[in-house]
Amino acid sequence: MTRDNNSMGTWNPLSLAVLKLGFTEPAWTSPLNYNKSEGVYRCASCLSPLFSSSAKYDSGSGWPSFWKTVAPNRVALKREWDGRIECLCANCNGHLDELKTVPETDPKIGYNVQQSGEFDKSSSKYSRMPRFCINGLALRFDKHCE
């Protein structure tokens, strides 16, 4: 799928502003930030599975936060001009938001943060967990789909 594909999973204008125009929803406004149910978080545009509820945690940021993707290469990472790392759905290129807490010494952005296994805390080089800080409007939650 491409970013301009007409077969989208959402027609919500606020979701489309986030996914297609790169807007950011106001902090603390997404019900998914408070969701404690088990399931899978999917891209609201193409419905590709992105994150598992087992990788979700309360970062205190005001947006749903995850420490790993559901599988490698589900989220594309792109370094912005100002140094921030944008998260995009790897399937439809929809804007999700940002990756925070990337070790400065990591030469391959996303190499160790998108593994489906346990996070390697033994290496000081990768000792800080990543935080995928994601717009709730860019996600759709499927309960009990893990």
Side-chain angles (χ1 to χ4, degrees), residues 7 10 13 15 18 21 26-29 32 35 38 61 85 88 90 105 126 130 137 140 146:
S7 59
T10 184
S15 289
V18 168
L21 301 175
W28 312 106
T29 59
L32 294 180
N35 186 17
E38 291 184 19
S61 66
I85 300 169
L88 303 161
T105 56
Y126 300 107
L137 286 168
R140 184 175 293 176
E146 286 196 89

Side-chain angles (χ1 to χ4, degrees), residues 24-130:
T24 299
E25 68 188 358
W28 312 106
T29 59
S30 173
L32 294 180
N33 192 46
Y34 310 101
N35 186 17
K36 306 280 188 222
S37 301
E38 291 184 19
V40 173
Y41 293 85
R42 299 178 178 275
C43 173
S45 182
C46 70
L47 306 179
S48 176
L50 301 174
F51 302 100
S52 168
S53 60
S54 63
K56 185 176 184 285
Y57 70 101
D58 183 3
S59 67
S61 66
W63 292 276
S65 297
F66 306 87
W67 66 274
K68 69 176 181 176
T69 58
V70 75
N73 302 318
R74 293 296 174 108
V75 175
L77 303 174
K78 182 177 98 178
R79 189 172 294 278
E80 295 290 328
W81 63 271
D82 59 358
R84 292 178 297 140
I85 300 169
E86 180 183 15
C87 297
L88 303 161
C89 174
N91 188 50
C92 70
N93 209 29
H95 172 78
L96 302 172
D97 210 355
E98 293 183 26
L99 176 68
K100 309 274 190 188
T101 322
V102 175
E104 291 296 324
T105 56
D106 189 354
K108 293 184 178 179
I109 298 300
Y111 179 74
N112 269 16
V113 299
Q114 295 195 70
Q115 303 218 356
S116 57
E118 289 297 312
F119 187 75
D120 180 15
K121 296 178 185 171
S122 63
S123 169
S124 62
K125 183 176 177 181
Y126 300 107
S127 62
R128 293 171 50 191
M129 283 191 353

